[in-house]
Amino acid sequence: MDRPRLPASARPTGLTRRSLLGFGAAAASGLLLPGCSRGRADEPAPSEKAVFATGNAGGVYNVFGAALSELVSEVTGVELTPKVSDGSVDNLNQVASRKADLGFCTSDTALAAYEGTGAFATGRRKFCALARVYDNYVHVVVPMASKAKELADLFPSSDAPTRRTVVGVGPKGSGTEIVANMILDRARADAIMANARVEPAKRLDPDKIQVIRRNMTLTEMAAAIQPEPKATKGILDAFFWSGGVPTDPIAALQKTIGFRLLNIGGVAQAIALMEFGGFLVAPIPPSQYGLAESVPTLAIPNYLIARTDLSDSWAWWTVNTLFRRQNDLVKGVLVPGATPATPGASPTPPGNPEAGALDPRSAIATMPVPLHPAAERWYRQNHI
């Protein structure tokens, strides 16, 4: 399958987490292949139940988190309950406030929470990391019929002064909203600069160079970009999504209105160079959505985070299961309550192709967020 992988880290210089752990990357060959092994039999099982804050219902965080929870519950004999949430910001707040024990979040929101900036300006959040898992890819979706070719085409210009574009930016307070606003703000600044170079008679008022931003869930955005009966266009002209690829509600649009992804490589490169937090520029391969060509975009690593006082047992067994049962995560596991594909049939396990990107050598790259001591111990034990 033509699937994006976690980009290889640049050769480290100076003090790195790997040097802190005391082993080189070459030692990773000692790690057993993922499979059905429980790991060390003398590692105690957790003594009480735990909660895993995942993400929007049906999104990659939610599906991946439910599958991992099921496997961890299986190998420990103690229930790890997946919980639907509003994504990264919500998960960080829930973990920090002890409403959840584990959660997923993006590297940029983790950095903001760790430093007490942006959405977390009210104060730093206390949490730790278990692993870097897979990367999110920013999707900027437009209908196939849209005339937009690049981000600048979403804003009013001297050639289209009355343009009024409505853009979905994800749920309020989500990681998608944060990165969408970052990209749109950068694109707006570029549009204002371009406007300043236009002859004075054709220049627009800079305050009018805007797009209308709407907070919606992924399901709502996928529906709102499609026209109602007898309408020529949907409520949304475009929408942002930050997630794994392929994301099913987006892929399904190819069977209805058809869609394209805007090339945001230029803005992505500027953000990756300016912002610390693990931002990368990477392509979404055409095979993921039946596109004509690969589309450069912004890639954002995801972290598996935990309460700072999470028990060593829960931390160790979660990391152990993440890698020992990697093949099962890729293929999908049968989650209780899943809906059968056809009447009378067994529920079809949802596969998690993102799990194919898991690599223990990349998993330790969560700095500046510290690793949980038991997670660090697991990596040491497996010579990472």
Side-chain angles (χ1 to χ4, degrees):
M1 178 179 178
D2 187 5
R3 180 173 65 241
R5 312 292 292 185
L6 278 173
S9 301
R11 183 177 297 278
T13 58
L15 187 64
T16 65
R17 173 154 289 152
R18 186 165 289 123
S19 66
L20 290 173
L21 293 178
F23 294 94
S29 59
L31 179 66
L32 297 176
L33 293 174
C36 295
S37 170
R38 281 176 54 91
R40 285 174 32 146
D42 59 346
E43 186 70 30
S47 60
E48 57 186 12
K49 299 178 181 180
V51 174
F52 191 152
T54 59
N56 292 274
V60 176
Y61 273 180
N62 178 245
V63 176
F64 195 163
L68 179 57
S69 296
E70 178 67 15
L71 288 173
V72 175
S73 299
E74 174 192 322
V75 299
T76 62
V78 184
E79 186 177 4
L80 176 58
T81 304
K83 179 181 181 182
V84 173
S85 75
D86 287 331
S88 292
V89 175
D90 187 20
N91 293 347
L92 280 157
N93 285 326
Q94 288 200 46
V95 168
S97 63
R98 302 169 60 87
K99 293 179 181 178
D101 303 282
L102 302 167
F104 283 132
C105 70
T106 56
S107 60
D108 57 321
T109 52
L111 178 65
Y114 188 74
E115 295 185 338
T117 61
F120 305 94
T122 54
R124 295 179 59 184
R125 304 301 192 263
K126 293 183 178 180
F127 63 101
C128 59
L130 300 185
R132 170 184 170 182
V133 283
Y134 65 94
D135 287 358
N136 275 2
Y137 292 79
V138 176
H139 302 60
V140 185
V141 181
V142 296
M144 189 64 73
S146 172
K147 296 180 179 180
K149 305 296 182 183
E150 55 187 23
L151 286 171
D153 296 333
L154 301 179
F155 292 86
S157 67
S158 58
D159 294 329
T162 60
R163 181 180 289 149
R164 181 180 180 274
T165 304
V166 183
V167 180
V169 295
K172 185 70 176 178
S174 66
T176 292
E177 182 190 36
I178 289 174
V179 74
N181 284 336
M182 184 187 304
I183 291 170
L184 285 171
D185 289 347
R186 176 78 190 198
R188 179 173 180 264
D190 291 344
I192 290 174
M193 289 180 62
N195 179 63
R197 294 192 291 268
V198 175
E199 60 181 275
K202 293 185 178 181
R203 283 181 197 161
L204 302 182
D205 179 347
D207 290 340
K208 295 182 179 179
I209 302 178
Q210 300 274 9
V211 297
I212 300 168
R213 308 181 193 194
R214 294 280 187 259
N215 289 113
M216 296 182 177
T217 66
L218 174 59
T219 301
E220 290 170 340
M221 292 189 296
I225 205 167
Q226 301 181 63
E228 294 287 339
K230 297 184 180 180
T232 57
K233 56 178 292 188
I235 298 172
L236 294 181
D237 298 291
F239 71 81
F240 281 73
W241 181 250
S242 175
V245 293
T247 294
D248 289 344
I250 295 176
L253 291 173
Q254 290 294 33
K255 298 179 180 179
T256 54
I257 60 172
F259 73 91
R260 291 180 288 106
L261 298 177
L262 295 187
N263 180 333
I264 63 169
V267 171
Q269 184 67 46
I271 291 174
L273 290 174
M274 292 176 60
E275 301 284 344
F276 176 75
F279 291 114
L280 307 163
V281 179
I284 294 179
S287 61
Q288 294 298 316
Y289 293 111
L291 305 173
E293 57 187 5
S294 63
V295 180
T297 191
L298 193 67
I300 310 166
N302 286 290
Y303 294 164
L304 174 56
I305 59 168
R307 288 169 30 197
T308 54
D309 61 348
L310 182 71
S311 72
D312 285 1
S313 295
W314 268 125
W316 194 95
W317 278 110
T318 300
V319 175
N320 189 67
T321 305
L322 187 68
F323 293 106
R324 301 291 183 199
R325 302 295 293 272
Q326 183 177 356
N327 289 340
D328 292 324
L329 285 169
V330 173
K331 293 183 295 184
V333 298
L334 189 61
V335 177
T339 303
T342 56
S346 298
T348 302
N352 296 273
E354 299 78 20
L358 290 170
D359 183 342
R361 292 166 296 182
S362 298
I364 61 175
T366 63
M367 291 194 293
V369 181
L371 285 169
H372 187 289
E376 182 174 329
R377 174 162 56 87
W378 187 92
Y379 293 115
R380 284 182 179 276
Q381 290 170 343
N382 288 281
H383 311 295
I384 305 303

